[in-house]
């Protein structure tokens, strides 16, 4: 099995420095739509076949999928599943809030963990830790891969932290 990992294009919350894991918020920007279109064109020019698509339920990932589906023949024919497993890391109290000095300190710690792959139980207040996110993602993927055709190609459209 080959996994193709794709982060959604630039979204409004990225530009406005707002932390969010809310499902119905934050569309792609014009730049984000262009980024996704470029990725779709690149995949469309390849000989790679996509057998299944798994996507996050968040709006920016859903819009990314729609652009990919509309521009890329390999994605049009593939069955698609929207799965909660692929949502953004849960931000807890910081959800839909502007980044600030305090949140930047917390995100700096998260970034160190991400780079070192040393996932502690640290989390944003009432949010999800990288350890919990890693367990969520690896648990789902290992179950999915064990129960899937080993020759299939899987496109996952998600967010930076889960990917």
């Amino acid at each position: 099995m080959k996994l193709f990992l794709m982060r959604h294009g630039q979204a409004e919350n990225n530009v406005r420095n707002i932390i969010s894991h809310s499902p119905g918020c934050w569309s792609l920007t014009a730049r984000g739509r262009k980024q996704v279109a470029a990725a779709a064109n690149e995949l469309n020019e390849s000989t790679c076949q996509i057998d299944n698509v798994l996507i996050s339920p968040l709006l920016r990932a859903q819009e990314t999928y729609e652009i990919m589906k509309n521009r890329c023949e390999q994605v049009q024919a593939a069955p698609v599943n929207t799965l909660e497993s692929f949502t953004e890391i849960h931000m807890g109290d910081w959800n839909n809030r502007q980044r600030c000095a305090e949140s930047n300190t917390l995100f700096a710690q998260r970034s160190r963990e991400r780079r070192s792959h040393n996932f502690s139980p640290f989390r944003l207040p009432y949010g999800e830790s990288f350890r919990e996110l890693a367990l969520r993602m690896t648990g789902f993927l290992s179950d999915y891969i064990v129960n899937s055709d080993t020759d299939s190609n899987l496109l996952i459209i998600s967010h930076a932290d889960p990917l």
Side-chain angles (χ1 to χ4, degrees):
M1 173 176 284
K2 290 183 184 174
L3 300 177
F4 295 84
L5 306 177
M6 182 176 187
R7 182 179 184 256
H8 61 78
Q10 181 190 63
E12 292 173 10
N13 65 306
N14 302 131
V15 173
R16 294 170 60 188
N17 262 334
I18 294 176
I19 303 161
S20 181
H21 67 266
S22 296
C25 299
W26 311 116
S27 292
L28 294 176
T29 63
R31 180 177 179 211
R33 288 187 290 278
K34 287 179 186 173
Q35 291 168 332
V36 176
N41 290 340
E42 193 171 314
L43 182 59
N44 214 24
E45 291 173 6
S46 77
T47 59
C48 180
Q49 181 59 41
I50 299 297
D51 299 304
N52 289 293
V53 181
L54 304 178
I55 56 175
S56 161
L58 301 191
L59 181 59
R60 52 198 182 264
Q62 294 286 319
E63 289 177 342
T64 297
Y65 166 71
E66 287 299 320
I67 294 168
M68 292 295 289
K69 181 180 79 171
N70 290 333
R71 292 180 158 265
C72 187
E73 293 175 22
Q74 294 96 319
V75 176
Q76 289 170 0
V80 62
N81 289 301
T82 298
L83 300 168
E84 196 67 34
S85 299
F86 290 99
T87 194
E88 178 67 273
I89 191 168
H90 192 286
M91 303 296 182
D93 285 352
W94 293 100
N95 189 45
N96 288 325
R97 287 180 51 192
Q98 188 79 33
R99 287 184 74 151
C100 63
E102 186 180 4
S103 65
N104 286 340
T105 300
L106 296 171
F107 280 109
Q109 181 173 345
R110 259 187 28 191
S111 292
R112 285 190 296 278
E113 286 188 10
R114 185 175 21 200
R115 284 191 304 276
S116 70
H117 301 284
N118 181 17
F119 301 135
S120 75
F122 165 79
R123 65 172 60 126
L124 296 172
Y126 300 102
E128 180 180 34
S129 71
F130 267 117
R131 180 178 289 166
E132 292 165 325
L133 174 66
L135 289 172
R136 170 168 50 101
M137 296 301 295
T138 57
F140 174 82
L141 283 173
S142 63
D143 288 347
Y144 187 88
I145 290 169
V146 164
N147 295 314
S148 294
D149 177 3
T150 56
D151 292 330
S152 66
N153 294 324
L154 176 63
L155 172 63
I156 298 173
I157 302 172
S158 187
H159 311 274
D161 290 335
L163 294 176

